[in-house]
Amino acid sequence: QVQLVQSGPEMKKPGASVKVSCKASGYNFIGYHMHWVRQAPGQGLEWMGIINPSGGRADYAQKFQGRLTVTRDTSTSTVYLDLSNLRPEDTAVYFCARDNSDGGTYWWFDPWGQGTLVTVSS
Amino acid sequence: SSELTQDPAVSVALGQTVSITCQGDSIRDHYASWYQQKSGQAPVLVIYGKNNRPSGIPDRFSGSSSGNTASLTITGAQAEDEADYYCNTRDRGGFRWVFGGGTKVTVL
């Protein structure tokens, strides 16, 4: 079955970087874009960025430009989120989610990874 | 970037019908998708496109769209439908996506 499995929780100090992985299985990895979404404690979902695993091109929410890098390794069917210069307000659960589309009218995120808690604290 | 606006919370009596709305300019161009999230869990897709349900989602969930507003309707709400619900769509004119702020549904 289609499955996304993320890496474990991380604890970082302000100013550090974190790298979260999302390993895909059960489908053609390069055939589907992948999103990253985060959720701060008690808050809503926030879209961060997307990558095309085929060519590696990534696009980011303006808020994260310059701090966020999304990459992929096609040999292991894994997508990575790299967030630098961490601040306490980056404390959140980070989710990967596969992109699906009908070809241009609508999109949906399914499935989702289980989430990775990143805690930023001094 | 565009924004999507949802009511923060709604309540519904067991077995009754509730609709959640999602407003934003992006919805004029693209259908929204809807996600259910229970406490401590990853979101789950419940509606996508014009009114499509993934396998395993009960048919009491339905979606609709008109102008700048998308709606998710639960007909005959059950206790297990108590959760946060988020809408999402692609932003206008860009390769970016946006979520609504979420609606907490309480089943009384």
Side-chain angles (χ1 to χ4, degrees):
Chain A
Q1 75 282 22
V2 178
Q3 196 172 11
L4 302 176
V5 178
Q6 298 182 221
S7 49
E10 301 269 7
M11 188 161 288
K12 296 290 182 181
K13 294 193 181 303
S17 297
V18 68
K19 193 166 189 173
V20 179
S21 68
C22 169
K23 183 172 176 59
S25 61
Y27 71 97
N28 177 21
F29 176 70
I30 63 172
Y32 295 81
H33 291 65
M34 191 79 78
H35 298 271
W36 283 99
V37 176
R38 77 176 185 180
Q39 185 172 38
Q43 302 301 307
L45 301 174
E46 181 176 31
W47 183 81
M48 299 181 71
I50 184 173
I51 187 168
N52 179 350
S54 177
R57 172 183 164 149
D59 287 86
Y60 308 116
Q62 191 161 4
K63 174 178 179 177
F64 300 104
Q65 293 277 0
R67 281 208 305 144
L68 174 63
T69 304
V70 177
T71 58
R72 94 292 190 220
D73 181 344
T74 57
S75 69
T76 60
S77 299
T78 303
V79 172
Y80 298 93
L81 172 149
D82 198 321
L83 189 61
S84 63
N85 193 21
L86 289 168
R87 310 153 186 167
E89 53 265 37
D90 292 317
T91 294
V93 177
Y94 290 75
F95 296 100
C96 59
R98 193 184 76 171
D99 179 75
N100 303 268
S101 171
D102 74 323
T105 308
Y106 54 90
W107 295 260
W108 64 100
F109 296 14
D110 185 57
W112 293 62
Q114 82 275 20
T116 296
L117 175 62
V118 175
T119 304
V120 183
S121 174
S122 54
Chain B
S1 65
S2 298
E3 291 186 354
L4 296 178
T5 301
Q6 298 182 239
D7 290 330
V10 297
S11 60
V12 57
L14 185 67
Q16 296 304 300
T17 297
V18 63
S19 289
I20 304 163
T21 60
C22 171
Q23 286 188 302
D25 286 341
S26 299
I27 292 172
R28 297 186 185 278
D29 299 336
H30 310 299
Y31 288 109
S33 54
W34 290 91
Y35 303 87
Q36 176 192 72
Q37 187 181 34
K38 298 183 179 179
S39 182
Q41 298 182 18
V44 172
L45 175 72
V46 293
I47 290 288
Y48 64 100
K50 191 172 183 180
N51 182 19
N52 301 304
R53 279 177 292 106
S55 172
I57 299 301
D59 62 5
R60 62 179 178 271
F61 289 90
S62 63
S64 63
S65 189
S66 177
N68 73 336
T69 302
S71 300
L72 173 70
T73 299
I74 309 173
T75 303
Q78 302 299 302
E80 60 264 33
D81 300 334
E82 190 161 287
D84 295 322
Y85 291 84
Y86 295 90
C87 60
N88 172 271
T89 193
R90 182 168 164 174
D91 202 357
R92 275 187 142 177
F95 205 59
R96 292 178 172 84
W97 276 255
V98 60
F99 283 93
T103 298
K104 182 176 183 61
V105 172
T106 300
V107 180
L108 304 173

